[in-house]
Amino acid sequence: MSRQHAPLLRWYRRVRRDLPWRRDPTPYRVWVSEIMLQQTTVATVIPYYEKFLARFPDIRALADSTEDDVLKHWAGLGYYSRARNLRKAAQQMAGVFPTDYDAILALPGVGRYTAGAIGSIAFQKPWPLVDGNVARVFSRLFGLKGRAKDPAFLKSLWPRAEALVHKTAPGDWNQALMELGATVCTPDSPSCGACPLASQCVAFKKGLQDELPLPEKARAPVPLKWDCLWIESGGKVLLWKRDDSDRLLKNLWGLPEKGRVDARPAKRLATPTHSITHHALRVELRAAVLKKGSSLPDATKWVSRPRLTDYLVSSLWLKLLNAST
Ligand code: SF4
């Protein structure tokens, strides 16, 4: 038993947030929530999670779905490979969630962190986990110099997480660490006065809460420009499926880019900007008409206006639809 266990667990059990995936932590529910929470905030995830679980309540429902249906329920959450991997993994499970560490880790889209979260929360296995929140708490609690998003620093924390994980309440322990990082030991101005670990915290004792973890290196966004076309005929709009080689939104339906179809661009409709991952994307959308006699590539589809949002799942397209209709 480490000296952090009792105060942190007591605190967590008293103040934990009532989140939908905590109410009935089956492996399936924990897994879906953890995948959604990668790169996305709790507040954003909650409505998506509830809608997703209503449509795909279990492994079989997800395995039997179409990719388009899953993507539609993911629309706006970004990082769409997460949704594809969920479906792919559900198909591999044949209705039963694996319980073995290596089998969970082998699921598409599941890394060491997610395997630790599923095992500890849903199966009560004493598996550790380290994410950005845990890295920040450890950095301050133990006075460790590192950047909370630096993969090498995160890697160096795993043995510590492993040594610390609670053997009989690993799910509560891991969630308590993450909860502390999310609500008390926050990136800016941590609430040390409300922290159950303050009396043991190196950063607090030395007044280094604002120095640790070390500041992240700023990463300049990569500028990118797309020239997109709005081609409409008889109430239907031409869509184009971006291919595997795309840097962004690959394998997703979008509006065709200039040069992908044989069309004549005309009036400019909108020029929104949009950030995707670390890209600063600028889109110029023009109305266009297909050239006479031109043939369309395979990866295109005419879709009626009311059904456009079934296909255009990225929030970029929703921005464009609002600007152009
Ligand atoms: Fe974080 Fe402050 Fe608690 Fe230390 S005392 S772990 S800096 S909130």
Side-chain angles (χ1 to χ4, degrees):
M1 181 77 75
S2 98
R3 64 197 184 110
Q4 288 88 15
H5 282 168
L8 189 59
L9 281 178
R10 213 179 308 122
W11 169 83
Y12 174 67
R13 288 168 180 160
R14 190 164 43 83
V15 306
R16 68 177 148 201
R17 291 168 293 173
D18 176 30
L19 302 174
W21 45 89
R22 286 185 177 161
R23 284 173 211 150
D24 178 20
T26 64
Y28 177 74
R29 290 169 58 88
V30 173
W31 172 52
V32 172
S33 71
E34 288 297 341
I35 300 294
M36 281 192 174
L37 287 164
Q38 292 167 3
Q39 337 272 0
T40 314
T41 62
V42 165
T44 303
V45 163
I46 290 174
Y48 278 94
Y49 178 80
E50 287 178 334
K51 201 173 69 166
F52 196 91
L53 263 287
R55 172 64 188 85
F56 311 109
D58 51 34
I59 301 168
R60 286 211 186 278
L62 184 56
D64 292 343
S65 63
T66 63
E67 186 172 294
D68 282 346
D69 199 9
V70 177
L71 288 173
K72 191 173 130 190
H73 284 78
W74 205 269
L77 265 184
Y79 298 92
Y80 293 91
S81 58
R82 295 184 295 172
R84 288 199 190 91
N85 282 333
L86 273 178
R87 178 171 166 271
K88 221 187 288 168
Q91 289 175 334
Q92 289 178 9
M93 288 181 204
V96 184
F97 207 97
T99 53
D100 174 70
Y101 183 79
D102 290 335
I104 295 176
L105 196 59
L107 296 171
V110 171
R112 214 170 157 194
Y113 162 81
T114 310
I118 297 168
S120 62
I121 300 169
F123 295 123
Q124 294 307 314
K125 306 252 192 190
W127 297 347
L129 53 75
V130 177
D131 71 347
N133 279 323
V134 174
R136 183 168 58 257
V137 171
F138 279 7
S139 165
R140 290 172 174 162
L141 184 61
F142 302 113
L144 308 172
K145 285 189 181 167
R147 296 176 216 285
K149 288 185 185 160
D150 173 8
F153 181 59
L154 289 165
K155 197 172 165 207
S156 74
L157 298 176
W158 280 88
R160 200 178 280 267
E162 183 145 24
L164 268 182
V165 70
H166 198 287
K167 299 296 176 280
T168 54
D172 275 4
W173 170 254
N174 282 338
Q175 290 181 94
L177 276 177
M178 293 189 287
E179 190 86 345
L180 189 75
T183 63
V184 174
C185 196
T186 47
D188 301 316
S189 318
S191 310
C192 303
C195 178
L197 299 180
S199 65
Q200 314 177 21
C201 176
V202 173
F204 180 60
K205 278 187 213 155
K206 295 187 176 171
L208 295 174
Q209 304 94 306
D210 297 328
E211 270 38 78
L212 293 174
L214 300 176
E216 301 298 331
K217 283 187 187 147
R219 193 175 176 190
V222 178
L224 204 60
K225 176 154 185 276
W226 288 354
D227 292 299
C228 293
L229 305 174
W230 181 272
I231 303 170
E232 187 166 356
S233 174
K236 291 190 169 181
V237 178
L238 188 69
L239 300 188
W240 165 64
K241 196 168 194 176
R242 307 188 70 86
D243 62 30
D244 222 15
S245 63
D246 255 300
R247 245 194 291 179
L248 300 175
L249 306 181
K250 63 177 164 194
N251 295 319
L252 289 176
W253 288 100
L255 295 172
E257 266 191 78
K258 201 168 126 189
R260 299 292 180 158
V261 290
D262 203 7
R264 216 183 335 271
K267 193 178 140 208
R268 191 161 70 187
L269 299 175
T271 52
T273 52
H274 192 73
S275 321
I276 305 183
T277 60
H278 57 283
H279 293 83
L281 179 62
R282 184 168 167 269
V283 178
E284 183 167 288
L285 179 67
R286 285 181 181 273
V289 281
L290 288 174
K291 288 186 187 160
K292 256 210 171 103
S294 61
S295 58
L296 290 172
D298 284 347
T300 51
K301 188 191 267 248
W302 290 101
V303 174
S304 63
R305 267 182 176 251
R307 293 210 59 209
L308 282 178
T309 49
D310 288 352
Y311 289 88
L312 300 178
V313 295
S314 165
S315 46
L316 162 70
W317 304 122
L318 301 182
K319 216 183 247 184
L320 274 171
L321 286 180
N322 290 337
S324 59
T325 53

